[in-house]
PDB file of all heavy atoms in Angstrom:
ATOM      1  N   LYS A   1      16.711  23.664 -13.929  1.00  0.00           N
ATOM      2  CA  LYS A   1      16.324  24.972 -14.656  1.00  0.00           C
ATOM      3  C   LYS A   1      17.737  25.554 -14.702  1.00  0.00           C
ATOM      4  O   LYS A   1      18.839  25.273 -14.210  1.00  0.00           O
ATOM      5  CB  LYS A   1      15.439  25.705 -13.877  1.00  0.00           C
ATOM      6  CG  LYS A   1      13.996  25.218 -13.862  1.00  0.00           C
ATOM      7  CD  LYS A   1      12.981  26.186 -13.215  1.00  0.00           C
ATOM      8  CE  LYS A   1      11.505  25.594 -13.464  1.00  0.00           C
ATOM      9  NZ  LYS A   1      10.660  26.566 -12.922  1.00  0.00           N
ATOM     10  N   VAL A   2      17.758  26.773 -15.356  1.00  0.00           N
ATOM     11  CA  VAL A   2      18.989  27.543 -15.521  1.00  0.00           C
ATOM     12  C   VAL A   2      18.807  28.723 -14.546  1.00  0.00           C
ATOM     13  O   VAL A   2      17.771  29.412 -14.595  1.00  0.00           O
ATOM     14  CB  VAL A   2      19.202  28.025 -16.929  1.00  0.00           C
ATOM     15  CG1 VAL A   2      18.163  28.894 -17.503  1.00  0.00           C
ATOM     16  CG2 VAL A   2      20.566  28.841 -17.056  1.00  0.00           C
ATOM     17  N   LEU A   3      19.759  28.849 -13.594  1.00  0.00           N
ATOM     18  CA  LEU A   3      19.627  29.851 -12.450  1.00  0.00           C
ATOM     19  C   LEU A   3      20.625  30.970 -12.805  1.00  0.00           C
ATOM     20  O   LEU A   3      21.772  30.793 -12.954  1.00  0.00           O
ATOM     21  CB  LEU A   3      19.964  29.248 -11.196  1.00  0.00           C
ATOM     22  CG  LEU A   3      20.086  30.070 -10.011  1.00  0.00           C
ATOM     23  CD1 LEU A   3      18.716  30.724  -9.594  1.00  0.00           C
ATOM     24  CD2 LEU A   3      20.669  29.424  -8.848  1.00  0.00           C
ATOM     25  N   PHE A   4      20.232  32.238 -12.782  1.00  0.00           N
ATOM     26  CA  PHE A   4      20.988  33.394 -13.057  1.00  0.00           C
ATOM     27  C   PHE A   4      21.763  33.702 -11.719  1.00  0.00           C
ATOM     28  O   PHE A   4      21.030  33.963 -10.676  1.00  0.00           O
ATOM     29  CB  PHE A   4      20.030  34.574 -13.525  1.00  0.00           C
ATOM     30  CG  PHE A   4      19.645  34.443 -15.038  1.00  0.00           C
ATOM     31  CD1 PHE A   4      18.604  33.728 -15.368  1.00  0.00           C
ATOM     32  CD2 PHE A   4      20.423  35.078 -16.017  1.00  0.00           C
ATOM     33  CE1 PHE A   4      18.107  33.513 -16.583  1.00  0.00           C
ATOM     34  CE2 PHE A   4      19.934  34.942 -17.332  1.00  0.00           C
ATOM     35  CZ  PHE A   4      18.786  34.169 -17.584  1.00  0.00           C
ATOM     36  N   VAL A   5      23.018  33.796 -11.785  1.00  0.00           N
ATOM     37  CA  VAL A   5      23.762  34.172 -10.649  1.00  0.00           C
ATOM     38  C   VAL A   5      24.503  35.493 -10.682  1.00  0.00           C
ATOM     39  O   VAL A   5      24.967  36.023  -9.569  1.00  0.00           O
ATOM     40  CB  VAL A   5      24.777  33.060 -10.282  1.00  0.00           C
ATOM     41  CG1 VAL A   5      24.087  31.762 -10.040  1.00  0.00           C
ATOM     42  CG2 VAL A   5      25.762  32.840 -11.397  1.00  0.00           C
ATOM     43  N   ASP A   6      24.670  36.130 -11.944  1.00  0.00           N
ATOM     44  CA  ASP A   6      25.203  37.440 -12.071  1.00  0.00           C
ATOM     45  C   ASP A   6      24.841  38.076 -13.242  1.00  0.00           C
ATOM     46  O   ASP A   6      24.508  37.368 -14.247  1.00  0.00           O
ATOM     47  CB  ASP A   6      26.783  37.326 -11.853  1.00  0.00           C
ATOM     48  CG  ASP A   6      27.414  38.600 -11.577  1.00  0.00           C
ATOM     49  OD1 ASP A   6      26.558  39.554 -11.171  1.00  0.00           O
ATOM     50  OD2 ASP A   6      28.658  38.830 -11.470  1.00  0.00           O
ATOM     51  N   GLN A   7      24.932  39.325 -13.497  1.00  0.00           N
ATOM     52  CA  GLN A   7      24.561  40.126 -14.577  1.00  0.00           C
ATOM     53  C   GLN A   7      25.307  41.385 -14.729  1.00  0.00           C
ATOM     54  O   GLN A   7      25.342  42.144 -13.673  1.00  0.00           O
ATOM     55  CB  GLN A   7      23.011  40.261 -14.674  1.00  0.00           C
ATOM     56  CG  GLN A   7      22.562  40.914 -16.070  1.00  0.00           C
ATOM     57  CD  GLN A   7      21.048  40.917 -16.054  1.00  0.00           C
ATOM     58  OE1 GLN A   7      20.425  41.743 -15.429  1.00  0.00           O
ATOM     59  NE2 GLN A   7      20.541  40.156 -17.025  1.00  0.00           N
ATOM     60  N   ILE A   8      25.851  41.762 -15.895  1.00  0.00           N
ATOM     61  CA  ILE A   8      26.465  43.060 -16.142  1.00  0.00           C
ATOM     62  C   ILE A   8      25.527  43.747 -17.111  1.00  0.00           C
ATOM     63  O   ILE A   8      25.339  43.237 -18.216  1.00  0.00           O
ATOM     64  CB  ILE A   8      27.888  42.830 -16.780  1.00  0.00           C
ATOM     65  CG1 ILE A   8      28.724  41.923 -15.972  1.00  0.00           C
ATOM     66  CG2 ILE A   8      28.443  44.358 -16.933  1.00  0.00           C
ATOM     67  CD1 ILE A   8      28.877  42.401 -14.505  1.00  0.00           C
ATOM     68  N   ILE A   9      24.989  44.796 -16.664  1.00  0.00           N
ATOM     69  CA  ILE A   9      23.974  45.563 -17.463  1.00  0.00           C
ATOM     70  C   ILE A   9      24.595  46.648 -18.255  1.00  0.00           C
ATOM     71  O   ILE A   9      25.261  47.473 -17.775  1.00  0.00           O
ATOM     72  CB  ILE A   9      22.836  46.067 -16.568  1.00  0.00           C
ATOM     73  CG1 ILE A   9      22.118  45.037 -15.774  1.00  0.00           C
ATOM     74  CG2 ILE A   9      21.819  46.841 -17.434  1.00  0.00           C
ATOM     75  CD1 ILE A   9      21.063  45.447 -14.726  1.00  0.00           C
ATOM     76  N   ALA A  10      24.403  46.622 -19.596  1.00  0.00           N
ATOM     77  CA  ALA A  10      24.959  47.645 -20.472  1.00  0.00           C
ATOM     78  C   ALA A  10      24.024  48.893 -20.473  1.00  0.00           C
ATOM     79  O   ALA A  10      22.744  48.698 -20.187  1.00  0.00           O
ATOM     80  CB  ALA A  10      25.085  47.054 -21.766  1.00  0.00           C
ATOM     81  N   ALA A  11      24.474  50.014 -20.783  1.00  0.00           N
ATOM     82  CA  ALA A  11      23.779  51.252 -20.779  1.00  0.00           C
ATOM     83  C   ALA A  11      22.992  51.398 -22.073  1.00  0.00           C
ATOM     84  O   ALA A  11      23.285  52.176 -23.010  1.00  0.00           O
ATOM     85  CB  ALA A  11      24.666  52.429 -20.588  1.00  0.00           C
ATOM     86  N   HIS A  12      21.896  50.687 -22.186  1.00  0.00           N
ATOM     87  CA  HIS A  12      20.948  50.865 -23.314  1.00  0.00           C
ATOM     88  C   HIS A  12      19.579  51.107 -22.768  1.00  0.00           C
ATOM     89  O   HIS A  12      19.042  50.722 -21.716  1.00  0.00           O
ATOM     90  CB  HIS A  12      20.886  49.519 -24.132  1.00  0.00           C
ATOM     91  CG  HIS A  12      21.916  49.408 -25.141  1.00  0.00           C
ATOM     92  ND1 HIS A  12      22.103  50.272 -26.262  1.00  0.00           N
ATOM     93  CD2 HIS A  12      22.923  48.487 -25.220  1.00  0.00           C
ATOM     94  CE1 HIS A  12      23.191  49.869 -26.904  1.00  0.00           C
ATOM     95  NE2 HIS A  12      23.661  48.766 -26.296  1.00  0.00           N
ATOM     96  N   PRO A  13      18.760  52.098 -23.453  1.00  0.00           N
ATOM     97  CA  PRO A  13      17.433  52.210 -23.011  1.00  0.00           C
ATOM     98  C   PRO A  13      16.468  51.024 -23.097  1.00  0.00           C
ATOM     99  O   PRO A  13      15.538  50.959 -22.330  1.00  0.00           O
ATOM    100  CB  PRO A  13      16.938  53.444 -23.918  1.00  0.00           C
ATOM    101  CG  PRO A  13      17.874  53.305 -25.145  1.00  0.00           C
ATOM    102  CD  PRO A  13      19.098  52.791 -24.632  1.00  0.00           C
ATOM    103  N   LEU A  14      16.862  50.099 -24.126  1.00  0.00           N
ATOM    104  CA  LEU A  14      15.986  49.010 -24.278  1.00  0.00           C
ATOM    105  C   LEU A  14      16.954  47.766 -23.918  1.00  0.00           C
ATOM    106  O   LEU A  14      17.892  47.617 -24.599  1.00  0.00           O
ATOM    107  CB  LEU A  14      15.558  48.907 -25.772  1.00  0.00           C
ATOM    108  CG  LEU A  14      14.622  47.662 -26.091  1.00  0.00           C
ATOM    109  CD1 LEU A  14      13.369  47.705 -25.247  1.00  0.00           C
ATOM    110  CD2 LEU A  14      14.319  47.672 -27.661  1.00  0.00           C
ATOM    111  N   GLN A  15      16.474  47.082 -22.852  1.00  0.00           N
ATOM    112  CA  GLN A  15      17.376  46.121 -22.254  1.00  0.00           C
ATOM    113  C   GLN A  15      16.572  44.696 -22.139  1.00  0.00           C
ATOM    114  O   GLN A  15      15.420  44.645 -22.095  1.00  0.00           O
ATOM    115  CB  GLN A  15      17.828  46.383 -20.918  1.00  0.00           C
ATOM    116  CG  GLN A  15      18.813  47.503 -20.745  1.00  0.00           C
ATOM    117  CD  GLN A  15      20.165  47.092 -21.352  1.00  0.00           C
ATOM    118  OE1 GLN A  15      20.387  45.915 -21.676  1.00  0.00           O
ATOM    119  NE2 GLN A  15      21.095  48.096 -21.433  1.00  0.00           N
ATOM    120  N   ALA A  16      17.465  43.643 -22.144  1.00  0.00           N
ATOM    121  CA  ALA A  16      16.865  42.315 -21.738  1.00  0.00           C
ATOM    122  C   ALA A  16      17.546  41.889 -20.502  1.00  0.00           C
ATOM    123  O   ALA A  16      18.638  41.471 -20.538  1.00  0.00           O
ATOM    124  CB  ALA A  16      17.193  41.366 -22.952  1.00  0.00           C
ATOM    125  N   THR A  17      16.866  42.134 -19.305  1.00  0.00           N
ATOM    126  CA  THR A  17      17.529  41.905 -18.067  1.00  0.00           C
ATOM    127  C   THR A  17      16.857  40.803 -17.372  1.00  0.00           C
ATOM    128  O   THR A  17      15.504  40.804 -17.379  1.00  0.00           O
ATOM    129  CB  THR A  17      17.738  43.147 -17.198  1.00  0.00           C
ATOM    130  OG1 THR A  17      16.328  43.681 -17.015  1.00  0.00           O
ATOM    131  CG2 THR A  17      18.503  44.189 -17.970  1.00  0.00           C
ATOM    132  N   SER A  18      17.558  40.052 -16.456  1.00  0.00           N
ATOM    133  CA  SER A  18      16.864  39.141 -15.423  1.00  0.00           C
ATOM    134  C   SER A  18      17.619  39.256 -14.210  1.00  0.00           C
ATOM    135  O   SER A  18      18.787  39.316 -14.177  1.00  0.00           O
ATOM    136  CB  SER A  18      16.939  37.683 -15.968  1.00  0.00           C
ATOM    137  OG  SER A  18      16.337  37.611 -17.228  1.00  0.00           O
ATOM    138  N   GLN A  19      16.888  39.353 -13.014  1.00  0.00           N
ATOM    139  CA  GLN A  19      17.480  39.478 -11.761  1.00  0.00           C
ATOM    140  C   GLN A  19      18.294  38.317 -11.346  1.00  0.00           C
ATOM    141  O   GLN A  19      17.783  37.139 -11.640  1.00  0.00           O
ATOM    142  CB  GLN A  19      16.473  39.825 -10.726  1.00  0.00           C
ATOM    143  CG  GLN A  19      15.776  41.226 -10.811  1.00  0.00           C
ATOM    144  CD  GLN A  19      16.775  42.283 -10.557  1.00  0.00           C
ATOM    145  OE1 GLN A  19      17.637  42.198  -9.715  1.00  0.00           O
ATOM    146  NE2 GLN A  19      16.584  43.425 -11.185  1.00  0.00           N
ATOM    147  N   PRO A  20      19.523  38.352 -10.822  1.00  0.00           N
ATOM    148  CA  PRO A  20      20.168  37.184 -10.260  1.00  0.00           C
ATOM    149  C   PRO A  20      19.227  36.489  -9.256  1.00  0.00           C
ATOM    150  O   PRO A  20      18.575  37.103  -8.465  1.00  0.00           O
ATOM    151  CB  PRO A  20      21.399  37.815  -9.595  1.00  0.00           C
ATOM    152  CG  PRO A  20      21.691  38.977 -10.380  1.00  0.00           C
ATOM    153  CD  PRO A  20      20.390  39.618 -10.771  1.00  0.00           C
ATOM    154  N   GLY A  21      19.127  35.179  -9.331  1.00  0.00           N
ATOM    155  CA  GLY A  21      18.237  34.368  -8.587  1.00  0.00           C
ATOM    156  C   GLY A  21      17.052  33.913  -9.308  1.00  0.00           C
ATOM    157  O   GLY A  21      16.331  32.977  -8.864  1.00  0.00           O
ATOM    158  N   ALA A  22      16.869  34.506 -10.581  1.00  0.00           N
ATOM    159  CA  ALA A  22      15.736  34.086 -11.306  1.00  0.00           C
ATOM    160  C   ALA A  22      16.131  32.816 -12.060  1.00  0.00           C
ATOM    161  O   ALA A  22      17.325  32.584 -12.402  1.00  0.00           O
ATOM    162  CB  ALA A  22      15.390  35.182 -12.371  1.00  0.00           C
ATOM    163  N   SER A  23      15.083  31.957 -12.330  1.00  0.00           N
ATOM    164  CA  SER A  23      15.321  30.727 -13.063  1.00  0.00           C
ATOM    165  C   SER A  23      14.420  30.640 -14.324  1.00  0.00           C
ATOM    166  O   SER A  23      13.277  31.036 -14.240  1.00  0.00           O
ATOM    167  CB  SER A  23      15.197  29.513 -12.116  1.00  0.00           C
ATOM    168  OG  SER A  23      13.840  29.540 -11.710  1.00  0.00           O
ATOM    169  N   PHE A  24      15.072  30.090 -15.304  1.00  0.00           N
ATOM    170  CA  PHE A  24      14.424  29.923 -16.642  1.00  0.00           C
ATOM    171  C   PHE A  24      14.494  28.529 -17.132  1.00  0.00           C
ATOM    172  O   PHE A  24      15.354  27.792 -16.627  1.00  0.00           O
ATOM    173  CB  PHE A  24      15.027  30.949 -17.672  1.00  0.00           C
ATOM    174  CG  PHE A  24      14.674  32.379 -17.496  1.00  0.00           C
ATOM    175  CD1 PHE A  24      15.384  33.357 -18.147  1.00  0.00           C
ATOM    176  CD2 PHE A  24      13.627  32.765 -16.676  1.00  0.00           C
ATOM    177  CE1 PHE A  24      15.056  34.645 -18.039  1.00  0.00           C
ATOM    178  CE2 PHE A  24      13.335  34.122 -16.500  1.00  0.00           C
ATOM    179  CZ  PHE A  24      14.060  35.064 -17.275  1.00  0.00           C
ATOM    180  N   PRO A  25      13.618  28.146 -17.981  1.00  0.00           N
ATOM    181  CA  PRO A  25      13.754  26.776 -18.575  1.00  0.00           C
ATOM    182  C   PRO A  25      14.965  26.461 -19.410  1.00  0.00           C
ATOM    183  O   PRO A  25      15.578  27.435 -19.869  1.00  0.00           O
ATOM    184  CB  PRO A  25      12.440  26.637 -19.482  1.00  0.00           C
ATOM    185  CG  PRO A  25      12.177  28.002 -19.802  1.00  0.00           C
ATOM    186  CD  PRO A  25      12.456  28.884 -18.610  1.00  0.00           C
ATOM    187  N   LEU A  26      15.335  25.263 -19.492  1.00  0.00           N
ATOM    188  CA  LEU A  26      16.624  24.875 -20.202  1.00  0.00           C
ATOM    189  C   LEU A  26      16.400  24.921 -21.707  1.00  0.00           C
ATOM    190  O   LEU A  26      17.300  25.351 -22.500  1.00  0.00           O
ATOM    191  CB  LEU A  26      17.042  23.557 -19.757  1.00  0.00           C
ATOM    192  CG  LEU A  26      17.593  23.483 -18.297  1.00  0.00           C
ATOM    193  CD1 LEU A  26      17.724  21.940 -17.965  1.00  0.00           C
ATOM    194  CD2 LEU A  26      18.891  24.175 -18.184  1.00  0.00           C
ATOM    195  N   HIS A  27      15.272  24.423 -22.163  1.00  0.00           N
ATOM    196  CA  HIS A  27      15.050  24.014 -23.643  1.00  0.00           C
ATOM    197  C   HIS A  27      14.926  25.203 -24.511  1.00  0.00           C
ATOM    198  O   HIS A  27      15.016  24.956 -25.810  1.00  0.00           O
ATOM    199  CB  HIS A  27      13.826  23.070 -23.767  1.00  0.00           C
ATOM    200  CG  HIS A  27      12.565  23.689 -23.552  1.00  0.00           C
ATOM    201  ND1 HIS A  27      12.005  23.989 -22.332  1.00  0.00           N
ATOM    202  CD2 HIS A  27      11.619  24.133 -24.426  1.00  0.00           C
ATOM    203  CE1 HIS A  27      10.829  24.394 -22.436  1.00  0.00           C
ATOM    204  NE2 HIS A  27      10.517  24.613 -23.738  1.00  0.00           N
ATOM    205  N   CYS A  28      14.641  26.336 -24.082  1.00  0.00           N
ATOM    206  CA  CYS A  28      14.360  27.531 -24.928  1.00  0.00           C
ATOM    207  C   CYS A  28      15.074  28.787 -24.680  1.00  0.00           C
ATOM    208  O   CYS A  28      14.791  29.830 -25.038  1.00  0.00           O
ATOM    209  CB  CYS A  28      12.837  27.770 -24.955  1.00  0.00           C
ATOM    210  SG  CYS A  28      12.237  28.150 -23.280  1.00  0.00           S
TER     211      CYS A  28
END
């Protein structure tokens, strides 16, 4: 899987964020 290890969050009211440590599928 793809594992999130860091994230820089921009100052937008509507965001697409994932906590470091979360894992997502590779194919999509």
Side-chain angles (χ1 to χ4, degrees):
K1 293 188 176 182
V2 60
L3 176 71
F4 287 84
V5 296
D6 201 7
Q7 184 175 73
I8 309 300
I9 300 177
H12 276 295
L14 184 60
Q15 289 287 358
T17 60
S18 301
Q19 290 294 327
S23 59
F24 285 164
L26 293 167
H27 71 281
C28 57

